[in-house]
Amino acid sequence: MSKPSIKINAQLNSIIQDENFDNFSVTQLLDSYLAMCAVTKEPNEARKYVYRQIHRLVKKGLLLKKGTKNSKSIMYQKSELFFDTKFLVQSTTAAPVSQVTSAPAYASDAIKQLEERLKESEVDLLTSIGESEEYMRLYQSFPEMKAHLESLYLLARENSSKLLGQIKAIKSVLSHQRK
């Protein structure tokens, strides 16, 4: 029996074929996709394009959707079928794009956007850490609220962990872009 085949954009193929790229969000794939593209894309159009591609891969059973509907914490995981599928790489001109006059200008713009996103994530991380610390202080002051405060504390810690992951991913892409 021959392997099933599916057409896929060259950049998306390169990203999702990476063995370390698993359990990802739409945002993580979009960031990697935008960082890899040699052409600029309208961010909203690129997001729609990436989301459509993810949805198509989920529908074909190549990616598994993890998380609750309408949640910002939805993650995608490669299925067994993913590894048994032959990917037919399409040229990058198949995706909606607008050409850039020079690659260094795009790289500079991408680096600025990534640095800004990094700063935002770092501020969010500090906020989340402060929130979890405050829940601990409140628990010490009001032990009778343990159940409620403990669940809020755990949510804040989980959020901190996600933000750390985002920061790590952004720093990784930034270091690659600066080379």
Side-chain angles (χ1 to χ4, degrees), residues 57-78:
L57 295 174
V58 168
K59 197 172 175 182
K60 294 196 178 277
L62 303 177
L63 294 177
L64 303 173
K65 190 175 182 178
K66 304 289 182 181
T68 57
K69 192 174 183 178
N70 298 328
S71 169
K72 288 192 174 195
S73 62
I74 291 178
M75 302 297 280
Y76 296 89
Q77 185 177 39
K78 297 172 188 172

PDB file of all heavy atoms in Angstrom, residues 57-78:
ATOM      1  N   LEU A  57      -4.786  19.997   7.840  1.00  0.00           N
ATOM      2  CA  LEU A  57      -4.001  18.862   8.330  1.00  0.00           C
ATOM      3  C   LEU A  57      -4.741  18.112   9.444  1.00  0.00           C
ATOM      4  O   LEU A  57      -4.641  16.883   9.543  1.00  0.00           O
ATOM      5  CB  LEU A  57      -2.621  19.327   8.798  1.00  0.00           C
ATOM      6  CG  LEU A  57      -1.708  19.894   7.693  1.00  0.00           C
ATOM      7  CD1 LEU A  57      -0.421  20.456   8.288  1.00  0.00           C
ATOM      8  CD2 LEU A  57      -1.405  18.852   6.646  1.00  0.00           C
ATOM      9  N   VAL A  58      -5.495  18.850  10.264  1.00  0.00           N
ATOM     10  CA  VAL A  58      -6.302  18.210  11.308  1.00  0.00           C
ATOM     11  C   VAL A  58      -7.410  17.395  10.657  1.00  0.00           C
ATOM     12  O   VAL A  58      -7.665  16.242  11.030  1.00  0.00           O
ATOM     13  CB  VAL A  58      -6.890  19.260  12.287  1.00  0.00           C
ATOM     14  CG1 VAL A  58      -7.955  18.650  13.181  1.00  0.00           C
ATOM     15  CG2 VAL A  58      -5.790  19.883  13.135  1.00  0.00           C
ATOM     16  N   LYS A  59      -8.064  17.985   9.661  1.00  0.00           N
ATOM     17  CA  LYS A  59      -9.178  17.315   8.972  1.00  0.00           C
ATOM     18  C   LYS A  59      -8.714  16.016   8.302  1.00  0.00           C
ATOM     19  O   LYS A  59      -9.441  15.034   8.271  1.00  0.00           O
ATOM     20  CB  LYS A  59      -9.750  18.283   7.934  1.00  0.00           C
ATOM     21  CG  LYS A  59     -11.116  17.935   7.431  1.00  0.00           C
ATOM     22  CD  LYS A  59     -11.634  19.070   6.570  1.00  0.00           C
ATOM     23  CE  LYS A  59     -12.942  18.716   5.941  1.00  0.00           C
ATOM     24  NZ  LYS A  59     -13.444  19.777   5.058  1.00  0.00           N
ATOM     25  N   LYS A  60      -7.491  16.007   7.795  1.00  0.00           N
ATOM     26  CA  LYS A  60      -6.949  14.811   7.144  1.00  0.00           C
ATOM     27  C   LYS A  60      -6.337  13.832   8.145  1.00  0.00           C
ATOM     28  O   LYS A  60      -5.858  12.776   7.760  1.00  0.00           O
ATOM     29  CB  LYS A  60      -5.911  15.211   6.102  1.00  0.00           C
ATOM     30  CG  LYS A  60      -6.532  15.970   4.945  1.00  0.00           C
ATOM     31  CD  LYS A  60      -5.608  16.013   3.765  1.00  0.00           C
ATOM     32  CE  LYS A  60      -6.240  16.716   2.596  1.00  0.00           C
ATOM     33  NZ  LYS A  60      -7.099  15.884   1.805  1.00  0.00           N
ATOM     34  N   GLY A  61      -6.347  14.200   9.436  1.00  0.00           N
ATOM     35  CA  GLY A  61      -5.858  13.297  10.475  1.00  0.00           C
ATOM     36  C   GLY A  61      -4.351  13.326  10.680  1.00  0.00           C
ATOM     37  O   GLY A  61      -3.806  12.469  11.371  1.00  0.00           O
ATOM     38  N   LEU A  62      -3.668  14.305  10.089  1.00  0.00           N
ATOM     39  CA  LEU A  62      -2.217  14.390  10.219  1.00  0.00           C
ATOM     40  C   LEU A  62      -1.790  15.086  11.505  1.00  0.00           C
ATOM     41  O   LEU A  62      -0.709  14.834  12.032  1.00  0.00           O
ATOM     42  CB  LEU A  62      -1.610  15.119   9.019  1.00  0.00           C
ATOM     43  CG  LEU A  62      -1.938  14.508   7.659  1.00  0.00           C
ATOM     44  CD1 LEU A  62      -1.357  15.344   6.539  1.00  0.00           C
ATOM     45  CD2 LEU A  62      -1.427  13.088   7.576  1.00  0.00           C
ATOM     46  N   LEU A  63      -2.640  15.986  11.984  1.00  0.00           N
ATOM     47  CA  LEU A  63      -2.392  16.671  13.254  1.00  0.00           C
ATOM     48  C   LEU A  63      -3.560  16.387  14.191  1.00  0.00           C
ATOM     49  O   LEU A  63      -4.709  16.282  13.762  1.00  0.00           O
ATOM     50  CB  LEU A  63      -2.272  18.192  13.056  1.00  0.00           C
ATOM     51  CG  LEU A  63      -1.087  18.703  12.247  1.00  0.00           C
ATOM     52  CD1 LEU A  63      -1.169  20.219  12.097  1.00  0.00           C
ATOM     53  CD2 LEU A  63       0.232  18.314  12.890  1.00  0.00           C
ATOM     54  N   LEU A  64      -3.247  16.273  15.470  1.00  0.00           N
ATOM     55  CA  LEU A  64      -4.268  16.081  16.493  1.00  0.00           C
ATOM     56  C   LEU A  64      -4.413  17.381  17.261  1.00  0.00           C
ATOM     57  O   LEU A  64      -3.426  17.996  17.651  1.00  0.00           O
ATOM     58  CB  LEU A  64      -3.858  14.953  17.443  1.00  0.00           C
ATOM     59  CG  LEU A  64      -3.584  13.602  16.792  1.00  0.00           C
ATOM     60  CD1 LEU A  64      -3.025  12.629  17.815  1.00  0.00           C
ATOM     61  CD2 LEU A  64      -4.843  13.055  16.152  1.00  0.00           C
ATOM     62  N   LYS A  65      -5.649  17.784  17.480  1.00  0.00           N
ATOM     63  CA  LYS A  65      -5.952  19.029  18.183  1.00  0.00           C
ATOM     64  C   LYS A  65      -6.128  18.718  19.661  1.00  0.00           C
ATOM     65  O   LYS A  65      -6.955  17.895  20.037  1.00  0.00           O
ATOM     66  CB  LYS A  65      -7.226  19.634  17.592  1.00  0.00           C
ATOM     67  CG  LYS A  65      -7.545  21.018  18.028  1.00  0.00           C
ATOM     68  CD  LYS A  65      -8.767  21.505  17.237  1.00  0.00           C
ATOM     69  CE  LYS A  65      -9.135  22.916  17.586  1.00  0.00           C
ATOM     70  NZ  LYS A  65     -10.275  23.391  16.793  1.00  0.00           N
ATOM     71  N   LYS A  66      -5.341  19.372  20.506  1.00  0.00           N
ATOM     72  CA  LYS A  66      -5.400  19.151  21.954  1.00  0.00           C
ATOM     73  C   LYS A  66      -5.857  20.428  22.636  1.00  0.00           C
ATOM     74  O   LYS A  66      -5.294  21.486  22.408  1.00  0.00           O
ATOM     75  CB  LYS A  66      -4.022  18.755  22.516  1.00  0.00           C
ATOM     76  CG  LYS A  66      -3.396  17.548  21.857  1.00  0.00           C
ATOM     77  CD  LYS A  66      -4.105  16.292  22.229  1.00  0.00           C
ATOM     78  CE  LYS A  66      -3.440  15.090  21.594  1.00  0.00           C
ATOM     79  NZ  LYS A  66      -4.068  13.875  21.885  1.00  0.00           N
ATOM     80  N   GLY A  67      -6.865  20.334  23.472  1.00  0.00           N
ATOM     81  CA  GLY A  67      -7.371  21.503  24.186  1.00  0.00           C
ATOM     82  C   GLY A  67      -8.857  21.637  23.976  1.00  0.00           C
ATOM     83  O   GLY A  67      -9.466  20.914  23.187  1.00  0.00           O
ATOM     84  N   THR A  68      -9.453  22.589  24.664  1.00  0.00           N
ATOM     85  CA  THR A  68     -10.892  22.786  24.577  1.00  0.00           C
ATOM     86  C   THR A  68     -11.227  23.805  23.502  1.00  0.00           C
ATOM     87  O   THR A  68     -10.450  24.719  23.227  1.00  0.00           O
ATOM     88  CB  THR A  68     -11.463  23.272  25.925  1.00  0.00           C
ATOM     89  OG1 THR A  68     -10.785  24.479  26.296  1.00  0.00           O
ATOM     90  CG2 THR A  68     -11.274  22.227  27.002  1.00  0.00           C
ATOM     91  N   LYS A  69     -12.394  23.640  22.900  1.00  0.00           N
ATOM     92  CA  LYS A  69     -12.847  24.531  21.843  1.00  0.00           C
ATOM     93  C   LYS A  69     -12.915  25.965  22.367  1.00  0.00           C
ATOM     94  O   LYS A  69     -13.275  26.200  23.511  1.00  0.00           O
ATOM     95  CB  LYS A  69     -14.228  24.073  21.344  1.00  0.00           C
ATOM     96  CG  LYS A  69     -14.656  24.745  20.072  1.00  0.00           C
ATOM     97  CD  LYS A  69     -15.940  24.139  19.556  1.00  0.00           C
ATOM     98  CE  LYS A  69     -16.298  24.790  18.237  1.00  0.00           C
ATOM     99  NZ  LYS A  69     -17.483  24.235  17.653  1.00  0.00           N
ATOM    100  N   ASN A  70     -12.584  26.913  21.507  1.00  0.00           N
ATOM    101  CA  ASN A  70     -12.588  28.346  21.840  1.00  0.00           C
ATOM    102  C   ASN A  70     -11.629  28.692  22.973  1.00  0.00           C
ATOM    103  O   ASN A  70     -11.847  29.637  23.699  1.00  0.00           O
ATOM    104  CB  ASN A  70     -14.004  28.826  22.182  1.00  0.00           C
ATOM    105  CG  ASN A  70     -14.943  28.673  21.010  1.00  0.00           C
ATOM    106  OD1 ASN A  70     -14.535  28.793  19.866  1.00  0.00           O
ATOM    107  ND2 ASN A  70     -16.200  28.397  21.287  1.00  0.00           N
ATOM    108  N   SER A  71     -10.582  27.900  23.120  1.00  0.00           N
ATOM    109  CA  SER A  71      -9.574  28.157  24.140  1.00  0.00           C
ATOM    110  C   SER A  71      -8.315  28.664  23.472  1.00  0.00           C
ATOM    111  O   SER A  71      -7.985  28.274  22.362  1.00  0.00           O
ATOM    112  CB  SER A  71      -9.272  26.860  24.905  1.00  0.00           C
ATOM    113  OG  SER A  71      -8.140  27.023  25.701  1.00  0.00           O
ATOM    114  N   LYS A  72      -7.590  29.552  24.149  1.00  0.00           N
ATOM    115  CA  LYS A  72      -6.336  30.055  23.597  1.00  0.00           C
ATOM    116  C   LYS A  72      -5.207  29.056  23.816  1.00  0.00           C
ATOM    117  O   LYS A  72      -4.107  29.247  23.337  1.00  0.00           O
ATOM    118  CB  LYS A  72      -5.974  31.395  24.226  1.00  0.00           C
ATOM    119  CG  LYS A  72      -6.853  32.527  23.750  1.00  0.00           C
ATOM    120  CD  LYS A  72      -6.296  33.856  24.145  1.00  0.00           C
ATOM    121  CE  LYS A  72      -7.135  34.950  23.527  1.00  0.00           C
ATOM    122  NZ  LYS A  72      -6.501  36.237  23.565  1.00  0.00           N
ATOM    123  N   SER A  73      -5.475  27.992  24.533  1.00  0.00           N
ATOM    124  CA  SER A  73      -4.413  27.033  24.836  1.00  0.00           C
ATOM    125  C   SER A  73      -4.500  25.777  23.965  1.00  0.00           C
ATOM    126  O   SER A  73      -4.046  24.726  24.356  1.00  0.00           O
ATOM    127  CB  SER A  73      -4.475  26.655  26.317  1.00  0.00           C
ATOM    128  OG  SER A  73      -5.705  26.031  26.597  1.00  0.00           O
ATOM    129  N   ILE A  74      -5.061  25.899  22.773  1.00  0.00           N
ATOM    130  CA  ILE A  74      -5.148  24.752  21.878  1.00  0.00           C
ATOM    131  C   ILE A  74      -3.764  24.472  21.291  1.00  0.00           C
ATOM    132  O   ILE A  74      -3.089  25.368  20.809  1.00  0.00           O
ATOM    133  CB  ILE A  74      -6.172  24.988  20.751  1.00  0.00           C
ATOM    134  CG1 ILE A  74      -7.584  25.009  21.340  1.00  0.00           C
ATOM    135  CG2 ILE A  74      -6.057  23.921  19.676  1.00  0.00           C
ATOM    136  CD1 ILE A  74      -8.675  25.271  20.355  1.00  0.00           C
ATOM    137  N   MET A  75      -3.374  23.216  21.379  1.00  0.00           N
ATOM    138  CA  MET A  75      -2.082  22.789  20.856  1.00  0.00           C
ATOM    139  C   MET A  75      -2.329  21.729  19.793  1.00  0.00           C
ATOM    140  O   MET A  75      -3.344  21.044  19.802  1.00  0.00           O
ATOM    141  CB  MET A  75      -1.213  22.209  21.982  1.00  0.00           C
ATOM    142  CG  MET A  75      -0.952  23.175  23.131  1.00  0.00           C
ATOM    143  SD  MET A  75      -0.046  24.637  22.657  1.00  0.00           S
ATOM    144  CE  MET A  75       1.594  23.999  22.633  1.00  0.00           C
ATOM    145  N   TYR A  76      -1.383  21.589  18.886  1.00  0.00           N
ATOM    146  CA  TYR A  76      -1.483  20.614  17.807  1.00  0.00           C
ATOM    147  C   TYR A  76      -0.303  19.654  17.907  1.00  0.00           C
ATOM    148  O   TYR A  76       0.820  20.066  18.181  1.00  0.00           O
ATOM    149  CB  TYR A  76      -1.507  21.310  16.449  1.00  0.00           C
ATOM    150  CG  TYR A  76      -2.723  22.174  16.296  1.00  0.00           C
ATOM    151  CD1 TYR A  76      -2.718  23.497  16.708  1.00  0.00           C
ATOM    152  CD2 TYR A  76      -3.902  21.652  15.782  1.00  0.00           C
ATOM    153  CE1 TYR A  76      -3.854  24.291  16.605  1.00  0.00           C
ATOM    154  CE2 TYR A  76      -5.043  22.424  15.672  1.00  0.00           C
ATOM    155  CZ  TYR A  76      -5.004  23.749  16.084  1.00  0.00           C
ATOM    156  OH  TYR A  76      -6.140  24.509  15.986  1.00  0.00           O
ATOM    157  N   GLN A  77      -0.601  18.390  17.680  1.00  0.00           N
ATOM    158  CA  GLN A  77       0.399  17.330  17.820  1.00  0.00           C
ATOM    159  C   GLN A  77       0.374  16.472  16.560  1.00  0.00           C
ATOM    160  O   GLN A  77      -0.695  16.214  15.994  1.00  0.00           O
ATOM    161  CB  GLN A  77       0.051  16.500  19.054  1.00  0.00           C
ATOM    162  CG  GLN A  77       1.047  15.440  19.393  1.00  0.00           C
ATOM    163  CD  GLN A  77       0.632  14.732  20.682  1.00  0.00           C
ATOM    164  OE1 GLN A  77      -0.553  14.474  20.903  1.00  0.00           O
ATOM    165  NE2 GLN A  77       1.596  14.417  21.505  1.00  0.00           N
ATOM    166  N   LYS A  78       1.546  16.022  16.128  1.00  0.00           N
ATOM    167  CA  LYS A  78       1.635  15.167  14.952  1.00  0.00           C
ATOM    168  C   LYS A  78       1.056  13.792  15.278  1.00  0.00           C
ATOM    169  O   LYS A  78       1.338  13.233  16.327  1.00  0.00           O
ATOM    170  CB  LYS A  78       3.091  15.020  14.516  1.00  0.00           C
ATOM    171  CG  LYS A  78       3.732  16.325  14.084  1.00  0.00           C
ATOM    172  CD  LYS A  78       5.211  16.156  13.852  1.00  0.00           C
ATOM    173  CE  LYS A  78       5.878  17.481  13.612  1.00  0.00           C
ATOM    174  NZ  LYS A  78       7.340  17.377  13.566  1.00  0.00           N
TER     175      LYS A  78
END
